[in-house]
Amino acid sequence: MVRRIKRKGFINTEAAREFLNHLVAERHSLLLLVPLVLAFWAIERWVFAFSNWVPLVVAVWASLQYGSYQRALLAEDLTKKWKQNVFNASTITPLEHCQWLNKLLSEIWLNFMNKKLSLRFSSMVEKRLRQRRSRLIENIQLLEFSLGSCPPLLGLHGTCWSQSGEQKIMRLDFNWDTTDLSILLQAKLSKPFNRTARIVVNSLCIKGDILIRPTLEGRAMLYSFVSNPEVRIGVAFGGGGGQSLPATELPGVSSWLVKILTETLNKKMVEPRRGCFSLPATDLHKTAVGGIIYVTVVSGSNLHRSVLRGSPSRSSDIGDGSNGNSSNSGGSSSKDKPVQTFVEVELEQLSRRTEMRSGSNPAYQSTFNMILHDNTGTLKFNLYENNPGTVRNDSLASCEVKMKYVNDDSTMFWAVGSDNGVIAKHAEFCGQEIEMVVPFEGASSGELTVRLLLKEWHFSDGSHSLNSVNSSSLHSLDASSSLSSKTGRKIIVTVLSGKNLVSKDKTGKCEASVKLQYAKTIQKTKTVNSAECVWNQKFEFEELTGEEYLKVKCYREEMLGTDNIGTATLSLQGINNSEMHIWVPLEEVSSGEIELLIEAVSPEYNEADSSKGLIELVLVEARDLVAADLRGTSDPYVRVQYGEKKQRTKVIFKTLHPKWNQTMEFQDDGSSLELFVKDYNTLLPTSSIGNCVVEYQRLKPNETADKWIPLQGVLRGEIRVRVTRKVTEIPRRASADSGSPFNKALLLSNQMKQVMIKFQNLIDDGDLEGLAEALGELESLEDEQAEYLGQLQGEQTLLINKIKDLGKEILNSSPVQAPSHSPSPSMSGSYSRRSSTPM
């Protein structure tokens, strides 16, 4: 509650407004006033007049209420002071000096901490700079990033531990004032400069006090600044090629960098915002680049206008119209009505909102599919109240839940609890659902219950947490080359369908199309007009180094053009040679998802390999089929069409979960393999309960794919198939054979690089057992390399010998010998004339 401001000679309007709001909130005081006024009016009307006594009675009543209000304020102040005294009187260790810590940090900084932190922060800095570009800068690129040889100083004025409840907190000062940085940026300037310039960050100063809170029984610690730290950045400008600016300062660049750093610190690690440093028992050395999370907003509790942020000043304007019998005028009428609220969930640029619910303890029960484009993320929950009188909704309160990938393949979730405490949960594996009760910030009461399920993490090596497949690709999608050169791979994107798209059509239909953009290549689907948007169109892109994102835009066709009904940006880091099936939620709209099937295909797997073989299809089972009969079941069977050939399965009667386990074979000619699930009827025509297309062209020879395929054209239903490309003899090609010298040498080189990276990580972690194991891997690779070199030398020797033998045969070949019988007269004369010719 805001404190009163005392001014001599003036009425404190703020205190008066708070007192009136207090009276409105205390309904029983107003209810007591109403019968008193009626009683006085009756006495005044029929007994005797005492009009002069009414102001006195009202003044006495107001004085009593004001005294009660003052006592409540005093009690609140005393309670806060008591809590503060309890916190200050809790066990606090004496100040401990940290010269030993700073000495140790200076010894390990240059060879260990600097390299590790520079590698970790460089990608974060470059991404942040690109997201928050200055108007002066058209494009910016990070050329060099090193934190220098001067480490930050910790605890110059000492450190101490304190305790708040069961939470232990360490406080120490942080001072990093260095001029030994090596951060080089190359910027392409916009008009009117239209040139390039190099920006050099040569000094950095960050000062403040840090709080460290251990959590999850020591498996992690949360860190934050007590208040906004002092930030200074020194910038110099250098040449950038033939069309460069002189070494003069560009206006606003230094302040732009300071603003970015300050805002980043304030949003991520200034109380009550906290960063997290995890301490996993095992380190799998994976780099998470994104993930899929299901967010369920379960319910709210104690949602009252009087305690939520910003509500008292707007209480007289808020109404939901649910109780039509409330006819009293004034601020109390809206207070008597139940609050109608909804929750908006934000993750980066993506937002979704729940349905409207009424009451102080609403049950929302809304689940949303969210996409994360990093190994950390912040889920923000904004509570809004419906305001029927205006087009905007009133913001009541908000809270946040942060998440982070831990290197042992688990996930951490944490939030700010009551009295700035800590709420932390740990999901030990993907698919484990956790539930959190998070209080709203800035409110004396009010909580939100959410359930979070991290479905899967995606990693830079092409694997993901549910299917840890080692990437065999020769090129990585997270390449940092500044040139957009082709890697040789192809990105295959299949736009399958859409759901819950924004539509203005009364019939629920939407003439929608999808546009895909990868680098400068743009491709567009056809326009479909139906309630269930199904495209099933495949597009192919040449993979480029440095291009990590696929942009998806969905349009609705209108009479005067197209209307954007949602966009999305999908990270392609970690896409390997296996398929990735994903529902991408659309941003900038309230609903809508696009179903994509994405695959990166290496050049050694070509569609030409699909010729000459058999396609074996096993129809295993189906689930959640729609009911085609009045009794709520179906009699499903499957009709398979491969080119012009058709086959069908047996009928499974009276079930929505049939199991066929039936095998079919087709001669592989590259045709489309389509499945039509139908309901069998004896007299009436058969009705369709879904169809789908089985993609098999990208399978390697003799490889089997076992997958669930969603049925199209119906509300629900999936079918499980196993498809195999049976090839008796795999075609051998010199350019793409997996055993060719070029590919084998490149594969050995990549394996050696991976082992060396693993070595560096194990050295950094001091894992001696892991070093011994990695050393064995390195020795086996060296033996394999030596064997391969010997094989190459042997093949070289054989090739040289064959060339020599071929040369001898050519040199020793004699001219055509004359026949042994006597030549004919004509030939004899000709021969004699050639013989008698003088030499």
Side-chain angles (χ1 to χ4, degrees):
M1 190 173 293
V2 182
R3 292 184 177 273
R4 303 177 308 281
I5 303 174
K6 296 182 179 179
R7 300 178 181 177
K8 293 183 178 180
F10 293 95
I11 298 176
N12 193 340
T13 57
E14 182 68 20
R17 186 180 64 83
E18 289 188 2
F19 176 58
L20 292 177
N21 289 330
H22 172 73
L23 292 180
V24 172
E26 297 291 336
R27 296 185 180 89
H28 61 272
S29 300
L30 295 178
L31 294 177
L32 180 63
L33 181 61
V34 171
L36 286 176
V37 171
L38 292 177
F40 289 149
W41 176 80
I43 296 173
E44 171 80 17
R45 177 94 179 224
W46 290 295
V47 182
F48 62 89
F50 58 98
S51 301
N52 295 331
W53 293 83
V54 172
L56 180 61
V57 172
V58 173
V60 170
W61 175 82
S63 300
L64 293 175
Q65 292 299 322
Y66 187 71
S68 176
Y69 173 66
Q70 290 294 327
R71 287 194 296 273
L73 282 180
L74 182 60
E76 183 180 356
D77 290 341
L78 290 175
T79 301
K80 289 183 178 179
K81 291 179 180 179
W82 177 78
K83 290 183 178 179
Q84 188 67 28
N85 290 332
V86 168
F87 175 73
N88 294 332
S90 61
T91 304
I92 300 178
T93 61
L95 290 177
E96 298 178 4
H97 297 287
C98 293
Q99 288 86 351
W100 64 271
L101 178 59
N102 291 316
K103 184 178 180 180
L104 177 63
L105 188 59
S106 62
E107 290 180 357
I108 66 174
W109 176 265
L110 191 60
N111 297 323
F112 175 72
M113 296 293 293
N114 179 27
K115 293 182 179 178
K116 195 164 187 178
L117 291 178
S118 297
L119 184 64
R120 180 178 179 181
F121 290 136
S122 59
S123 60
M124 298 170 56
V125 168
E126 185 170 21
K127 183 182 295 185
R128 187 68 174 167
L129 290 176
R130 289 180 177 177
Q131 290 175 350
R132 297 292 306 275
R133 284 200 308 268
S134 172
R135 293 183 178 180
L136 184 65
I137 297 174
E138 182 178 333
N139 191 13
I140 193 166
Q141 181 183 355
L142 184 64
L143 298 181
E144 185 178 342
F145 189 93
S146 176
L147 298 177
S149 59
C150 182
L153 299 177
L154 303 174
L156 291 179
H157 303 293
T159 64
C160 62
W161 285 89
S162 61
Q163 189 164 350
S164 176
E166 298 181 355
Q167 179 66 54
K168 294 183 178 180
I169 305 172
M170 184 176 74
R171 179 167 181 162
L172 72 162
D173 55 296
F174 180 90
N175 188 348
W176 194 13
D177 192 353
T178 177
T179 58
D180 192 24
L181 295 173
S182 180
I183 301 177
L184 180 60
L185 307 170
Q186 181 168 336
K188 183 180 179 182
L189 305 180
S190 56
K191 295 178 181 180
F193 299 100
N194 210 15
R195 296 180 181 178
T196 60
R198 292 197 174 187
I199 305 172
V200 181
V201 180
N202 52 21
S203 66
L204 176 66
C205 177
I206 303 176
K207 293 182 181 180
D209 289 343
I210 287 183
L211 298 178
I212 297 178
R213 305 167 184 257
T215 186
L216 292 177
E217 299 179 353
R219 286 178 291 184
M221 64 180 185
L222 304 180
Y223 54 89
S224 59
F225 283 101
V226 178
S227 58
N228 297 339
E230 177 188 351
V231 176
R232 294 196 308 271
I233 295 179
V235 178
F237 299 89
Q243 289 186 336
S244 62
L245 289 176
T248 57
E249 183 175 356
L250 297 174
V253 172
S254 179
S255 59
W256 165 62
L257 293 175
V258 171
K259 183 179 180 181
I260 289 179
L261 180 56
T262 304
E263 288 182 353
T264 302
L265 291 176
N266 293 345
K267 290 181 178 180
K268 293 185 177 295
M269 51 178 301
V270 173
E271 279 291 318
R273 309 289 183 262
R274 296 156 189 167
C276 176
F277 181 75
S278 55
L279 302 168
T282 58
D283 193 346
L284 301 179
H285 299 289
K286 292 183 177 181
T287 303
V289 295
I292 303 174
I293 181 171
Y294 289 165
V295 182
T296 302
V297 182
V298 181
S299 61
S301 59
N302 298 324
L303 304 185
H304 302 287
R305 295 185 184 91
S306 58
V307 295
L308 293 174
R309 182 179 57 192
S311 57
S313 61
R314 295 193 299 264
S315 60
S316 61
D317 298 329
I318 298 174
D320 53 22
S322 59
N323 291 338
N325 56 358
S326 180
S327 59
N328 295 332
S329 61
S332 61
S333 61
S334 62
K335 284 292 180 179
D336 294 335
K337 298 178 183 179
V339 60
Q340 273 200 337
T341 57
F342 66 91
V343 177
E344 183 181 62
V345 187
E346 292 183 4
L347 178 60
E348 298 176 354
Q349 302 298 321
L350 180 62
S351 64
R352 291 289 184 267
R353 61 175 56 183
T354 66
E355 297 291 333
M356 195 77 64
R357 293 291 183 266
S358 180
S360 59
N361 299 296
Y364 300 105
Q365 295 295 341
S366 301
T367 302
F368 307 108
N369 170 31
M370 313 289 278
I371 300 294
L372 182 64
H373 293 145
D374 204 347
N375 61 349
T376 60
T378 302
L379 285 165
K380 189 171 183 178
F381 301 90
N382 301 311
L383 180 68
Y384 290 92
E385 181 182 13
N386 182 31
N387 192 351
T390 62
V391 294
R392 69 179 184 89
N393 299 300
D394 292 332
S395 176
L396 296 181
S398 65
C399 58
E400 291 183 357
V401 174
K402 292 187 176 182
M403 69 192 102
K404 179 184 179 182
Y405 171 75
V406 185
N407 290 337
D408 60 356
D409 220 3
S410 61
T411 308
M412 267 194 61
F413 301 90
W414 71 95
V416 178
S418 57
D419 296 329
N420 281 344
V422 177
I423 302 174
K425 291 294 182 71
H426 185 231
E428 298 181 356
F429 53 88
C430 284
Q432 180 181 2
E433 188 177 58
I434 61 103
E435 183 173 304
M436 301 180 72
V437 180
V438 186
F440 286 105
E441 300 175 10
S444 58
S445 68
E447 295 177 331
L448 187 68
T449 302
V450 297
R451 286 198 297 265
L452 307 173
L453 188 149
L454 205 296
K455 182 181 179 182
E456 62 182 42
W457 284 107
H458 299 155
F459 303 104
S460 60
D461 63 351
S463 61
H464 57 89
S465 50
L466 290 185
N467 184 16
S468 299
V469 182
N470 294 326
S471 175
S472 59
S473 61
L474 303 179
H475 302 275
S476 177
L477 277 170
D478 58 351
S480 58
S481 174
S482 60
L483 299 176
S484 296
S485 59
K486 296 181 180 180
T487 65
R489 296 204 307 173
K490 293 184 178 181
I491 305 295
I492 310 297
V493 182
T494 305
V495 183
L496 297 176
S497 61
K499 65 180 180 182
N500 300 327
L501 300 180
V502 177
S503 173
K504 294 182 180 179
D505 194 345
K506 295 182 179 179
T507 62
K509 296 183 179 181
C510 180
E511 295 185 5
S513 61
V514 178
K515 182 185 293 185
L516 304 177
Q517 180 176 356
Y518 178 73
K520 296 182 180 180
T521 305
I522 299 177
Q523 301 200 52
K524 186 179 179 182
T525 67
K526 61 186 178 181
T527 301
V528 296
N529 184 7
S530 62
E532 295 293 331
C533 295
V534 179
W535 292 282
N536 278 330
Q537 283 189 258
K538 185 183 295 184
F539 303 97
E540 189 175 281
F541 301 91
E542 292 285 344
E543 183 189 5
L544 304 176
T545 57
E547 293 293 336
E548 302 175 357
Y549 296 99
L550 174 71
K551 296 181 180 179
V552 182
K553 296 182 180 180
C554 190
Y555 294 93
R556 178 179 57 238
E557 300 292 336
E558 294 184 345
M559 292 182 62
L560 300 178
T562 59
D563 182 22
N564 187 2
I565 57 174
T567 62
T569 302
L570 182 64
S571 175
L572 295 180
Q573 294 189 63
I575 302 296
N576 61 358
N577 290 329
S578 62
E579 294 179 349
M580 183 178 76
H581 179 264
I582 186 172
W583 281 94
V584 183
L586 296 176
E587 302 169 2
E588 302 176 0
V589 288
S590 59
S591 66
E593 296 181 45
I594 301 296
E595 184 184 13
L596 299 179
L597 189 65
I598 307 175
E599 181 186 9
V601 182
S602 296
E604 59 264 31
Y605 307 118
N606 199 326
E607 288 188 0
D609 293 339
S610 64
S611 59
K612 307 298 182 184
L614 291 176
I615 300 298
E616 182 185 81
L617 176 67
V618 181
L619 297 163
V620 184
E621 57 182 327
R623 63 187 180 191
D624 297 331
L625 298 180
V626 296
D629 299 336
L630 295 177
R631 59 180 178 272
T633 61
S634 296
D635 303 324
Y637 70 95
V638 182
R639 180 170 64 84
V640 183
Q641 182 168 349
Y642 184 77
E644 297 181 354
K645 300 178 181 178
K646 298 179 182 179
Q647 295 189 35
R648 56 171 287 180
T649 65
K650 58 187 177 183
V651 180
I652 307 296
F653 294 95
K654 298 181 181 180
T655 180
L656 301 179
H657 305 274
K659 295 184 179 180
W660 295 285
N661 290 314
Q662 198 163 336
T663 303
M664 302 177 185
E665 287 187 348
F666 303 94
Q667 191 68 35
D668 189 359
D669 58 5
S671 299
S672 175
L673 181 57
E674 301 179 36
L675 307 182
F676 300 90
V677 184
K678 294 183 174 294
D679 175 64
Y680 177 78
N681 290 306
T682 307
L683 301 176
L684 300 175
T686 58
S687 58
S688 175
I689 52 177
N691 60 83
C692 65
V693 177
V694 181
E695 298 289 343
Y696 69 91
Q697 290 87 350
R698 299 294 173 182
L699 289 177
K700 303 174 189 177
N702 298 318
E703 180 185 9
T704 300
D706 190 334
K707 51 188 176 182
W708 286 92
I709 305 175
L711 297 175
Q712 308 297 329
V714 288
L715 296 178
R716 64 180 185 272
E718 293 179 292
I719 185 170
R720 181 186 175 190
V721 300
R722 284 197 296 267
V723 58
T724 308
R725 282 187 51 241
K726 289 189 173 182
V727 179
T728 55
E729 294 183 2
I730 302 175
R732 300 184 61 86
R733 293 173 291 138
S735 61
D737 187 10
S738 60
S740 64
F742 173 78
N743 282 350
K744 191 170 183 179
L746 194 56
L747 181 60
L748 282 174
S749 175
N750 286 338
Q751 290 177 350
M752 294 285 284
K753 289 180 181 178
Q754 293 296 328
V755 173
M756 295 307 296
I757 294 173
K758 185 177 180 180
F759 249 110
Q760 182 66 36
N761 293 331
L762 291 172
I763 292 173
D764 294 343
D765 297 338
D767 189 355
L768 298 180
E769 296 181 0
L771 282 173
E773 182 181 355
L775 184 61
E777 295 180 11
L778 185 61
E779 289 176 353
S780 63
L781 283 175
E782 289 178 349
D783 294 339
E784 186 177 354
Q785 188 179 29
E787 181 181 354
Y788 179 64
L789 289 176
Q791 180 183 352
L792 287 180
Q793 290 176 357
E795 293 178 358
Q796 181 182 12
T797 304
L798 290 174
L799 183 60
I800 292 175
N801 291 336
K802 287 183 179 180
I803 293 174
K804 288 180 178 179
D805 294 340
L806 183 59
K808 288 180 181 180
E809 291 179 5
I810 294 174
L811 293 175
N812 295 333
S813 61
S814 58
V816 180
Q817 299 293 330
S820 57
H821 55 79
S822 299
S824 61
S826 60
M827 291 180 65
S828 177
S830 175
Y831 181 78
S832 61
R833 284 194 297 270
R834 287 198 302 268
S835 303
S836 60
T837 304
M839 300 297 292

